[in-house]
Amino acid sequence: TFYWFIRSVNTGSLSHSAAACLSYGFLVSTWGGHIFAINLLPLYVVALLLSGRYSERLWVAYSTFYTVGTLLSMQVPFVGFLA
């Protein structure tokens, strides 16, 4: 997850961001500590923002990861909304 996200930030590629989303979806389905990953990435993004390294590539990578990753994680029964 982290490898593909960093790669998507460096390249701005949607395919790398999609790979990060798929690896996050797999992480959610196999490991209960997926909260660590979803909380660590925003800290990285905030660190980039505070250091003045904001770019369109960062926006594309993070917005794609957060949106698609959240939708994928909701497909796992113990994470999704089952009300």
Side-chain angles (χ1 to χ4, degrees):
T1 300
F2 300 115
Y3 170 78
W4 288 112
F5 182 75
I6 298 298
R7 192 153 176 161
S8 69
V9 169
N10 288 337
T11 62
S13 170
L14 278 177
S15 62
H16 290 138
S17 190
C21 292
L22 289 176
S23 66
Y24 177 67
F26 180 72
L27 183 72
V28 167
S29 67
T30 58
W31 185 44
H34 63 89
I35 298 297
F36 173 75
I38 201 66
N39 288 333
L40 189 61
L41 288 177
L43 288 175
Y44 175 71
V45 171
V46 166
L48 287 178
L49 290 174
L50 292 176
S51 66
R53 296 191 57 208
Y54 175 78
S55 66
E56 186 176 328
R57 296 182 318 230
L58 177 65
W59 183 81
V60 167
Y62 185 67
S63 63
T64 304
F65 175 81
Y66 192 80
T67 305
V68 177
T70 301
L71 291 173
L72 282 175
S73 68
M74 289 173 54
Q75 302 309 309
V76 178
F78 62 88
V79 178
F81 299 110
L82 299 175

Coordinates of all heavy atoms in Angstrom, one line a residue:
T1 N 0.8 -1.2 0.0 CA 0.0 0.0 0.0 C 0.9 1.3 0.0 O 0.7 2.2 -0.8 CB -0.9 0.0 1.2 OG1 -1.8 -1.2 1.2 CG2 -1.8 1.2 1.3
F2 N 1.8 1.3 0.9 CA 2.7 2.5 1.0 C 3.5 2.7 -0.2 O 3.7 3.8 -0.7 CB 3.5 2.4 2.3 CG 2.7 2.4 3.5 CD1 2.8 1.2 4.3 CD2 1.9 3.4 3.9 CE1 2.0 1.2 5.5 CE2 1.1 3.3 5.0 CZ 1.2 2.2 5.8
Y3 N 4.1 1.6 -0.7 CA 5.0 1.6 -1.9 C 4.2 2.2 -3.1 O 4.7 3.1 -3.7 CB 5.5 0.2 -2.2 CG 6.2 0.1 -3.5 CD1 7.5 0.6 -3.7 CD2 5.5 -0.4 -4.6 CE1 8.1 0.6 -4.9 CE2 6.2 -0.4 -5.9 CZ 7.5 0.0 -6.0 OH 8.1 0.0 -7.2
W4 N 3.0 1.7 -3.3 CA 2.2 2.1 -4.5 C 1.8 3.6 -4.3 O 1.7 4.3 -5.3 CB 1.0 1.2 -4.8 CG 1.5 -0.1 -5.3 CD1 1.4 -1.3 -4.7 CD2 2.1 -0.3 -6.6 NE1 1.9 -2.3 -5.5 CE2 2.3 -1.7 -6.7 CE3 2.4 0.5 -7.6 CZ2 2.9 -2.3 -7.8 CZ3 3.0 -0.1 -8.8 CH2 3.3 -1.4 -8.8
F5 N 1.4 4.0 -3.1 CA 1.0 5.3 -2.8 C 2.1 6.3 -3.1 O 2.0 7.3 -3.7 CB 0.4 5.5 -1.4 CG -0.1 6.9 -1.2 CD1 -1.3 7.3 -1.7 CD2 0.7 7.8 -0.4 CE1 -1.7 8.6 -1.5 CE2 0.2 9.1 -0.2 CZ -1.0 9.5 -0.8
I6 N 3.3 6.0 -2.5 CA 4.5 6.9 -2.7 C 4.8 6.9 -4.2 O 5.1 8.0 -4.8 CB 5.7 6.4 -1.9 CG1 5.4 6.4 -0.4 CG2 6.9 7.2 -2.3 CD1 5.1 7.8 0.1
R7 N 4.7 5.8 -4.9 CA 5.0 5.8 -6.3 C 4.0 6.6 -7.1 O 4.3 7.3 -8.1 CB 5.0 4.4 -6.8 CG 5.5 4.2 -8.2 CD 6.1 2.9 -8.4 NE 6.5 2.9 -9.8 CZ 7.3 2.0 -10.3 NH1 7.9 1.1 -9.5 NH2 7.6 2.1 -11.6
S8 N 2.7 6.6 -6.7 CA 1.7 7.4 -7.4 C 1.9 8.9 -7.1 O 1.6 9.7 -8.0 CB 0.3 6.9 -7.0 OG 0.0 7.2 -5.6
V9 N 2.4 9.2 -5.9 CA 2.6 10.6 -5.6 C 3.8 11.1 -6.5 O 3.8 12.2 -7.0 CB 3.0 10.9 -4.1 CG1 3.5 12.2 -3.9 CG2 1.7 10.6 -3.3
N10 N 4.8 10.3 -6.7 CA 6.0 10.7 -7.4 C 5.7 10.8 -8.9 O 6.3 11.6 -9.6 CB 7.2 9.7 -7.2 CG 7.7 9.9 -5.8 OD1 7.6 10.9 -5.2 ND2 8.4 8.8 -5.3
T11 N 4.8 9.9 -9.4 CA 4.6 9.9 -10.9 C 3.3 10.6 -11.3 O 3.1 11.0 -12.4 CB 4.5 8.5 -11.4 OG1 3.4 7.8 -10.8 CG2 5.8 7.7 -11.2
G12 N 2.3 10.7 -10.3 CA 1.0 11.2 -10.7 C 0.2 10.3 -11.5 O -0.8 10.7 -12.1
S13 N 0.5 9.0 -11.5 CA -0.2 8.0 -12.3 C -1.4 7.5 -11.7 O -1.3 7.1 -10.5 CB 0.8 6.9 -12.6 OG 0.2 5.8 -13.2
L14 N -2.5 7.4 -12.4 CA -3.7 6.8 -11.9 C -3.6 5.3 -11.7 O -4.2 4.7 -10.8 CB -4.9 7.2 -12.7 CG -5.5 8.5 -12.5 CD1 -6.7 8.7 -13.5 CD2 -6.1 8.7 -11.1
S15 N -2.8 4.7 -12.6 CA -2.6 3.2 -12.5 C -1.8 2.9 -11.2 O -2.2 1.9 -10.5 CB -1.8 2.7 -13.7 OG -0.6 3.3 -13.8
H16 N -0.9 3.7 -10.8 CA -0.2 3.4 -9.5 C -1.1 3.7 -8.3 O -1.1 3.0 -7.3 CB 1.1 4.3 -9.4 CG 2.1 3.9 -10.3 ND1 2.9 4.8 -11.0 CD2 2.6 2.6 -10.7 CE1 3.8 4.1 -11.7 NE2 3.6 2.8 -11.6
S17 N -2.0 4.7 -8.5 CA -2.9 5.0 -7.4 C -4.0 3.8 -7.3 O -4.4 3.5 -6.2 CB -3.6 6.3 -7.7 OG -4.4 6.7 -6.6
A18 N -4.4 3.3 -8.5 CA -5.3 2.2 -8.5 C -4.6 0.9 -7.8 O -5.3 0.2 -7.1 CB -5.7 1.9 -9.9
A19 N -3.4 0.7 -8.1 CA -2.6 -0.4 -7.4 C -2.6 -0.2 -5.9 O -2.7 -1.1 -5.2 CB -1.2 -0.5 -8.0
A20 N -2.4 1.1 -5.5 CA -2.4 1.3 -4.0 C -3.8 1.0 -3.5 O -3.9 0.5 -2.4 CB -2.1 2.8 -3.8
C21 N -4.9 1.4 -4.2 CA -6.2 1.1 -3.7 C -6.5 -0.4 -3.6 O -7.1 -0.9 -2.7 CB -7.2 1.7 -4.7 SG -7.2 3.5 -4.7
L22 N -6.0 -1.2 -4.6 CA -6.2 -2.6 -4.6 C -5.4 -3.3 -3.5 O -5.9 -4.2 -2.8 CB -5.8 -3.2 -6.0 CG -6.8 -2.9 -7.1 CD1 -6.2 -3.5 -8.4 CD2 -8.1 -3.5 -6.9
S23 N -4.2 -2.8 -3.3 CA -3.4 -3.4 -2.2 C -4.1 -3.0 -0.8 O -4.0 -3.8 0.1 CB -2.0 -2.9 -2.3 OG -1.8 -1.5 -2.1
Y24 N -4.6 -1.8 -0.7 CA -5.3 -1.4 0.5 C -6.6 -2.3 0.7 O -6.9 -2.7 1.8 CB -5.7 0.1 0.5 CG -6.5 0.5 1.7 CD1 -5.9 0.5 3.0 CD2 -7.8 0.8 1.6 CE1 -6.6 0.8 4.1 CE2 -8.5 1.2 2.7 CZ -7.9 1.2 4.0 OH -8.6 1.5 5.1
G25 N -7.3 -2.5 -0.4 CA -8.5 -3.4 -0.2 C -8.1 -4.8 0.2 O -8.8 -5.4 1.1
F26 N -7.0 -5.3 -0.3 CA -6.5 -6.6 0.2 C -6.0 -6.5 1.6 O -6.3 -7.4 2.4 CB -5.3 -7.1 -0.7 CG -4.8 -8.4 -0.3 CD1 -5.5 -9.6 -0.5 CD2 -3.5 -8.5 0.3 CE1 -5.0 -10.8 -0.1 CE2 -3.0 -9.7 0.7 CZ -3.8 -10.9 0.5
L27 N -5.4 -5.4 2.0 CA -5.0 -5.2 3.4 C -6.1 -5.2 4.3 O -6.1 -5.8 5.4 CB -4.2 -3.9 3.5 CG -3.6 -3.5 4.8 CD1 -2.4 -4.4 5.1 CD2 -3.2 -2.1 4.8
V28 N -7.2 -4.6 4.0 CA -8.4 -4.5 4.8 C -9.0 -5.9 5.0 O -9.4 -6.2 6.1 CB -9.5 -3.5 4.2 CG1 -10.8 -3.7 4.9 CG2 -9.0 -2.1 4.3
S29 N -9.0 -6.7 3.9 CA -9.6 -8.0 4.0 C -8.8 -9.0 4.8 O -9.3 -10.0 5.2 CB -10.0 -8.5 2.6 OG -8.8 -8.8 1.9
T30 N -7.5 -8.7 5.0 CA -6.6 -9.7 5.6 C -6.1 -9.3 7.0 O -5.7 -10.2 7.8 CB -5.4 -10.0 4.7 OG1 -4.7 -8.8 4.5 CG2 -5.9 -10.7 3.4
W31 N -6.1 -8.0 7.3 CA -5.4 -7.6 8.5 C -6.3 -6.6 9.2 O -6.8 -5.6 8.6 CB -4.1 -6.9 8.1 CG -3.2 -6.5 9.3 CD1 -3.0 -7.2 10.4 CD2 -2.5 -5.3 9.4 NE1 -2.1 -6.5 11.2 CE2 -1.8 -5.4 10.6 CE3 -2.3 -4.2 8.6 CZ2 -1.0 -4.3 11.0 CZ3 -1.5 -3.2 9.0 CH2 -0.8 -3.3 10.2
G32 N -6.5 -6.8 10.5 CA -7.4 -5.9 11.3 C -6.7 -4.6 11.6 O -7.4 -3.6 12.0
G33 N -5.4 -4.5 11.4 CA -4.7 -3.2 11.7 C -4.7 -2.3 10.5 O -3.8 -1.4 10.4
H34 N -5.7 -2.4 9.6 CA -5.7 -1.6 8.4 C -5.9 -0.1 8.7 O -5.6 0.8 8.0 CB -6.8 -2.0 7.4 CG -8.1 -1.9 8.0 ND1 -8.9 -0.8 7.9 CD2 -8.9 -2.8 8.7 CE1 -10.0 -0.9 8.5 NE2 -10.1 -2.2 9.0
I35 N -6.4 0.2 9.9 CA -6.6 1.5 10.4 C -5.2 2.3 10.4 O -5.1 3.5 10.2 CB -7.2 1.6 11.8 CG1 -8.6 0.9 11.7 CG2 -7.3 2.9 12.4 CD1 -9.6 1.6 10.8
F36 N -4.2 1.5 10.7 CA -2.8 2.1 10.7 C -2.5 2.7 9.4 O -2.0 3.8 9.3 CB -1.8 1.0 11.1 CG -0.4 1.5 11.0 CD1 0.2 2.3 11.9 CD2 0.4 1.0 9.9 CE1 1.5 2.7 11.8 CE2 1.7 1.4 9.8 CZ 2.3 2.2 10.7
A37 N -2.8 2.0 8.3 CA -2.5 2.4 7.0 C -3.3 3.6 6.6 O -2.8 4.6 6.0 CB -2.7 1.3 6.0
I38 N -4.6 3.6 6.9 CA -5.5 4.7 6.5 C -5.2 6.0 7.3 O -5.5 7.1 6.9 CB -6.9 4.3 6.5 CG1 -7.8 5.2 5.6 CG2 -7.5 4.3 7.9 CD1 -7.5 5.1 4.1
N39 N -4.6 5.8 8.5 CA -4.2 7.0 9.3 C -2.8 7.5 9.0 O -2.5 8.7 9.2 CB -4.4 6.7 10.7 CG -5.8 6.6 11.2 OD1 -6.7 7.2 10.5 ND2 -6.1 5.8 12.2
L40 N -1.9 6.6 8.5 CA -0.6 7.0 8.2 C -0.4 7.8 7.0 O 0.3 8.8 6.9 CB 0.3 5.8 8.2 CG 1.8 6.1 8.1 CD1 2.3 6.8 9.4 CD2 2.6 4.8 8.0
L41 N -1.2 7.5 6.0 CA -1.1 8.2 4.7 C -1.6 9.7 4.8 O -0.9 10.5 4.2 CB -1.9 7.5 3.6 CG -1.3 6.2 3.1 CD1 -2.2 5.5 2.1 CD2 0.1 6.4 2.6
P42 N -2.6 10.0 5.5 CA -2.9 11.4 5.7 C -1.8 12.2 6.4 O -1.6 13.4 6.1 CB -4.2 11.5 6.5 CG -4.9 10.2 6.2 CD -3.7 9.2 6.0
L43 N -1.2 11.5 7.4 CA 0.0 12.2 8.0 C 1.1 12.5 7.1 O 1.7 13.6 7.1 CB 0.5 11.3 9.2 CG -0.4 11.2 10.4 CD1 0.2 10.2 11.4 CD2 -0.6 12.5 11.0
Y44 N 1.3 11.6 6.1 CA 2.3 11.8 5.1 C 1.9 13.0 4.2 O 2.7 13.9 3.9 CB 2.5 10.6 4.3 CG 3.4 10.7 3.1 CD1 4.8 10.9 3.3 CD2 3.0 10.7 1.8 CE1 5.7 11.0 2.2 CE2 3.8 10.9 0.7 CZ 5.2 11.0 1.0 OH 6.0 11.2 -0.1
V45 N 0.6 13.1 3.8 CA 0.1 14.1 3.0 C 0.2 15.5 3.7 O 0.7 16.5 3.1 CB -1.3 13.8 2.5 CG1 -1.9 15.0 1.9 CG2 -1.3 12.6 1.6
V46 N -0.1 15.5 5.0 CA 0.0 16.8 5.8 C 1.4 17.2 5.9 O 1.7 18.4 5.8 CB -0.6 16.6 7.2 CG1 -0.3 17.7 8.1 CG2 -2.1 16.5 7.1
A47 N 2.4 16.2 6.1 CA 3.8 16.6 6.1 C 4.2 17.2 4.8 O 5.0 18.2 4.8 CB 4.6 15.4 6.5
L48 N 3.8 16.6 3.7 CA 4.1 17.2 2.4 C 3.5 18.6 2.2 O 4.2 19.5 1.7 CB 3.6 16.3 1.3 CG 4.4 15.0 1.0 CD1 3.8 14.2 -0.1 CD2 5.9 15.3 0.7
L49 N 2.3 18.8 2.7 CA 1.7 20.1 2.6 C 2.4 21.2 3.5 O 2.7 22.3 3.0 CB 0.2 20.1 3.1 CG -0.7 19.3 2.1 CD1 -2.1 19.2 2.8 CD2 -0.8 20.0 0.8
L50 N 2.8 20.8 4.7 CA 3.5 21.7 5.6 C 4.9 22.0 5.1 O 5.4 23.1 5.3 CB 3.6 21.2 7.0 CG 2.2 21.1 7.7 CD1 2.4 20.4 9.1 CD2 1.6 22.4 7.8
S51 N 5.5 21.1 4.3 CA 6.9 21.4 3.8 C 6.8 22.1 2.5 O 7.9 22.3 1.9 CB 7.6 20.0 3.7 OG 7.0 19.2 2.7
G52 N 5.6 22.4 2.0 CA 5.5 23.1 0.7 C 5.6 22.3 -0.5 O 6.0 22.8 -1.6
R53 N 5.4 21.0 -0.4 CA 5.6 20.1 -1.6 C 4.3 19.7 -2.2 O 4.2 18.6 -2.8 CB 6.4 18.9 -1.2 CG 7.8 19.3 -0.7 CD 8.7 18.1 -0.6 NE 8.8 17.4 -1.8 CZ 9.0 16.1 -1.9 NH1 9.2 15.4 -0.8 NH2 9.1 15.5 -3.1
Y54 N 3.3 20.5 -2.1 CA 2.0 20.2 -2.7 C 2.1 20.3 -4.2 O 2.7 21.2 -4.7 CB 0.9 21.2 -2.2 CG -0.4 21.0 -2.9 CD1 -1.2 20.0 -2.5 CD2 -0.8 21.8 -4.0 CE1 -2.4 19.8 -3.2 CE2 -2.0 21.6 -4.6 CZ -2.8 20.6 -4.2 OH -4.0 20.3 -4.9
S55 N 1.4 19.3 -4.8 CA 1.4 19.3 -6.3 C 0.1 18.7 -6.7 O -0.6 18.1 -5.9 CB 2.6 18.6 -6.9 OG 2.5 17.2 -6.5
E56 N -0.2 18.8 -8.0 CA -1.4 18.2 -8.6 C -1.2 16.6 -8.5 O -2.2 15.9 -8.3 CB -1.6 18.6 -10.0 CG -2.8 18.1 -10.6 CD -3.0 18.6 -12.0 OE1 -2.6 19.7 -12.3 OE2 -3.6 17.8 -12.8
R57 N 0.0 16.1 -8.6 CA 0.2 14.7 -8.4 C -0.2 14.2 -7.1 O -0.8 13.1 -6.9 CB 1.7 14.3 -8.7 CG 2.1 14.7 -10.1 CD 3.5 14.2 -10.3 NE 4.4 14.6 -9.1 CZ 5.5 15.3 -9.2 NH1 6.0 15.6 -10.4 NH2 6.2 15.6 -8.1
L58 N 0.1 15.0 -6.0 CA -0.3 14.6 -4.7 C -1.8 14.6 -4.5 O -2.4 13.7 -4.0 CB 0.3 15.6 -3.6 CG -0.1 15.4 -2.2 CD1 0.4 14.0 -1.7 CD2 0.4 16.5 -1.3
W59 N -2.5 15.6 -5.1 CA -3.9 15.6 -5.1 C -4.6 14.4 -5.8 O -5.5 13.8 -5.2 CB -4.4 16.9 -5.7 CG -5.9 17.1 -5.6 CD1 -6.6 17.5 -4.5 CD2 -6.8 16.8 -6.6 NE1 -7.9 17.5 -4.8 CE2 -8.1 17.1 -6.0 CE3 -6.8 16.3 -7.9 CZ2 -9.3 16.9 -6.8 CZ3 -7.9 16.1 -8.6 CH2 -9.1 16.4 -8.0
V60 N -4.1 14.1 -6.9 CA -4.6 13.0 -7.7 C -4.4 11.7 -6.9 O -5.3 10.9 -6.8 CB -3.9 12.9 -9.1 CG1 -4.2 11.6 -9.8 CG2 -4.4 14.0 -10.0
A61 N -3.2 11.5 -6.4 CA -2.9 10.3 -5.7 C -3.7 10.1 -4.4 O -4.3 9.0 -4.2 CB -1.4 10.2 -5.3
Y62 N -3.8 11.2 -3.6 CA -4.5 11.0 -2.4 C -6.0 11.0 -2.6 O -6.7 10.1 -1.9 CB -4.2 12.2 -1.4 CG -4.8 12.0 -0.1 CD1 -4.4 10.9 0.8 CD2 -5.8 12.8 0.4 CE1 -5.0 10.7 2.0 CE2 -6.4 12.6 1.6 CZ -6.0 11.6 2.4 OH -6.6 11.4 3.6
S63 N -6.6 11.8 -3.4 CA -8.0 11.8 -3.6 C -8.5 10.5 -4.2 O -9.5 9.9 -3.8 CB -8.5 13.0 -4.4 OG -7.9 12.9 -5.7
T64 N -7.7 9.9 -5.1 CA -8.1 8.6 -5.7 C -8.0 7.5 -4.7 O -8.9 6.7 -4.6 CB -7.2 8.3 -6.9 OG1 -7.3 9.4 -7.9 CG2 -7.6 7.0 -7.6
F65 N -6.9 7.5 -3.9 CA -6.7 6.5 -2.9 C -7.8 6.5 -1.9 O -8.4 5.5 -1.5 CB -5.3 6.6 -2.3 CG -5.1 5.7 -1.1 CD1 -4.8 4.4 -1.4 CD2 -5.4 6.0 0.2 CE1 -4.6 3.5 -0.3 CE2 -5.2 5.2 1.2 CZ -4.8 3.8 1.0
Y66 N -8.1 7.7 -1.4 CA -9.1 7.8 -0.3 C -10.5 7.4 -0.8 O -11.2 6.7 -0.1 CB -9.1 9.2 0.3 CG -9.9 9.3 1.5 CD1 -9.3 8.9 2.7 CD2 -11.2 9.8 1.6 CE1 -10.0 9.0 3.9 CE2 -11.9 9.8 2.7 CZ -11.3 9.4 3.9 OH -12.0 9.5 5.1
T67 N -10.9 7.9 -1.9 CA -12.2 7.6 -2.4 C -12.4 6.1 -2.8 O -13.3 5.4 -2.3 CB -12.5 8.4 -3.7 OG1 -12.3 9.8 -3.3 CG2 -13.9 8.2 -4.2
V68 N -11.5 5.6 -3.6 CA -11.6 4.2 -4.1 C -11.3 3.3 -3.0 O -11.9 2.2 -2.8 CB -10.8 4.0 -5.3 CG1 -10.8 2.5 -5.8 CG2 -11.2 4.9 -6.5
G69 N -10.3 3.6 -2.2 CA -9.9 2.7 -1.0 C -11.0 2.6 0.0 O -11.3 1.5 0.5
T70 N -11.7 3.7 0.3 CA -12.8 3.6 1.2 C -14.0 2.8 0.6 O -14.6 2.0 1.3 CB -13.3 5.0 1.5 OG1 -12.3 5.8 2.1 CG2 -14.5 5.0 2.5
L71 N -14.3 3.0 -0.7 CA -15.3 2.1 -1.3 C -14.9 0.7 -1.3 O -15.8 -0.2 -1.1 CB -15.6 2.6 -2.7 CG -16.2 4.0 -2.8 CD1 -16.3 4.4 -4.3 CD2 -17.6 4.0 -2.2
L72 N -13.7 0.3 -1.6 CA -13.3 -1.1 -1.5 C -13.3 -1.6 -0.1 O -13.7 -2.8 0.1 CB -11.8 -1.2 -2.1 CG -11.7 -1.2 -3.6 CD1 -10.2 -1.2 -3.9 CD2 -12.4 -2.3 -4.2
S73 N -12.9 -0.8 0.9 CA -12.9 -1.4 2.2 C -14.3 -1.6 2.8 O -14.5 -2.4 3.6 CB -12.2 -0.4 3.2 OG -12.9 0.8 3.3
M74 N -15.3 -0.8 2.2 CA -16.7 -1.0 2.7 C -17.3 -2.3 2.1 O -18.3 -2.7 2.6 CB -17.5 0.2 2.3 CG -17.2 1.4 3.1 SD -18.1 2.9 2.5 CE -19.8 2.4 2.5
Q75 N -16.6 -3.0 1.2 CA -17.1 -4.2 0.7 C -16.8 -5.4 1.6 O -17.3 -6.5 1.4 CB -16.5 -4.5 -0.7 CG -16.8 -3.4 -1.7 CD -18.2 -3.0 -1.8 OE1 -19.1 -3.9 -2.0 NE2 -18.5 -1.7 -1.7
V76 N -15.9 -5.2 2.6 CA -15.6 -6.2 3.5 C -16.6 -6.2 4.6 O -16.9 -5.2 5.2 CB -14.2 -6.0 4.1 CG1 -13.8 -7.0 5.2 CG2 -13.1 -6.0 3.0
P77 N -17.3 -7.4 4.9 CA -18.4 -7.4 5.8 C -18.2 -6.8 7.2 O -19.1 -6.1 7.7 CB -18.8 -8.8 5.9 CG -18.3 -9.4 4.7 CD -17.0 -8.7 4.3
F78 N -17.1 -7.0 7.8 CA -16.9 -6.5 9.2 C -16.5 -5.0 9.2 O -16.4 -4.5 10.2 CB -15.9 -7.4 9.9 CG -14.5 -7.4 9.3 CD1 -13.6 -6.4 9.7 CD2 -14.1 -8.4 8.4 CE1 -12.3 -6.4 9.2 CE2 -12.9 -8.4 7.9 CZ -11.9 -7.4 8.3
V79 N -16.2 -4.4 8.0 CA -15.9 -3.0 8.0 C -17.0 -2.2 7.5 O -17.3 -1.1 7.9 CB -14.6 -2.8 7.1 CG1 -14.3 -1.3 7.0 CG2 -13.4 -3.6 7.6
G80 N -17.8 -2.7 6.5 CA -18.8 -1.9 5.9 C -20.0 -1.6 6.8 O -20.1 -2.1 7.9
F81 N -20.9 -0.8 6.3 CA -22.1 -0.5 7.1 C -23.2 -1.6 6.9 O -23.7 -1.8 5.8 CB -22.6 0.9 6.6 CG -21.7 2.0 6.7 CD1 -21.1 2.6 5.6 CD2 -21.3 2.5 8.0 CE1 -20.2 3.6 5.8 CE2 -20.4 3.5 8.2 CZ -19.8 4.1 7.0
L82 N -23.5 -2.2 8.0 CA -24.5 -3.3 8.0 C -25.7 -3.0 8.8 O -26.2 -3.9 9.5 CB -23.8 -4.6 8.4 CG -22.6 -5.1 7.6 CD1 -22.0 -6.3 8.2 CD2 -23.1 -5.4 6.2
A83 N -26.1 -1.8 8.9 CA -27.2 -1.4 9.8 C -28.5 -1.8 9.2 O -28.8 -2.1 8.1 CB -27.2 0.1 10.0

